[in-house]
Amino acid sequence: MEYNLNLGLVAHLGIKFIETTPERVVAELEIREEVCTLGGSIHGGTLMALADTAGAVGTLSFLEKNPAAGKGTATLESKTNFFAAARSGKVRAEATPLHKGRRTHVWQTRVTDEAGKLLSLTIQTQMIL
């Protein structure tokens, strides 16, 4: 089972994957006008979509290595805290698993700016389908 990571919202937002393993996902996104608020900072929904995608890709990476575990994943729950704004450059998402069970995985994703400043923290539950 191999997944195309360059379709849909991933392509629309311009998410680029640096690392995708069952233990860690790293992705980047260039800040541009289309993903910002009217005030010019990256939109919280963009940060949430980036984090959600990173956690989902982590679970998909697990399923690629364990095809008997399931055929796909869906976000069951997600919570994001926002800490700072960014207006230019790239943002980086680093997702790591907190729990990998038979039916659910829980991922924590830290999104930072180019200087390493924490912009948001998302914890999400991925249901294995």
Side-chain angles (χ1 to χ4, degrees):
M1 191 175 0
E2 192 163 314
Y3 299 94
N4 184 345
L5 299 179
N6 296 309
L7 296 172
L9 188 62
V10 170
H12 181 70
L13 292 177
I15 297 171
K16 304 291 184 213
F17 291 93
I18 310 304
E19 179 180 343
T20 58
T21 73
E23 297 302 323
R24 186 169 183 252
V25 174
V26 178
E28 293 181 338
L29 183 146
E30 187 78 36
I31 298 174
R32 54 192 203 290
E33 186 177 20
E34 297 84 3
V35 299
C36 289
T37 65
L38 295 176
S41 61
I42 192 164
H43 195 285
T46 302
L47 297 176
M48 292 176 75
L50 174 61
D52 182 68
T53 300
V57 167
T59 298
L60 289 174
S61 292
F62 168 81
L63 294 175
E64 281 183 347
K65 293 184 177 9
N66 301 281
K71 295 183 171 108
T73 186
T75 303
L76 187 62
E77 185 270 340
S78 183
K79 185 209 187 296
T80 300
N81 287 98
F82 300 102
F83 302 105
R87 296 181 177 279
S88 63
K90 288 183 183 176
V91 294
R92 179 180 182 97
E94 295 187 31
T96 54
L98 298 175
H99 166 76
K100 291 196 300 185
R102 279 186 340 108
R103 303 307 308 154
T104 62
H105 286 188
V106 178
W107 287 81
Q108 174 179 279
T109 304
R110 296 173 52 87
V111 180
T112 56
D113 66 10
E114 289 180 310
K117 184 176 185 178
L118 184 63
L119 303 178
S120 66
L121 177 71
T122 300
I123 296 178
Q124 72 187 87
T125 303
Q126 289 294 128
M127 179 173 55
I128 296 175
L129 306 173

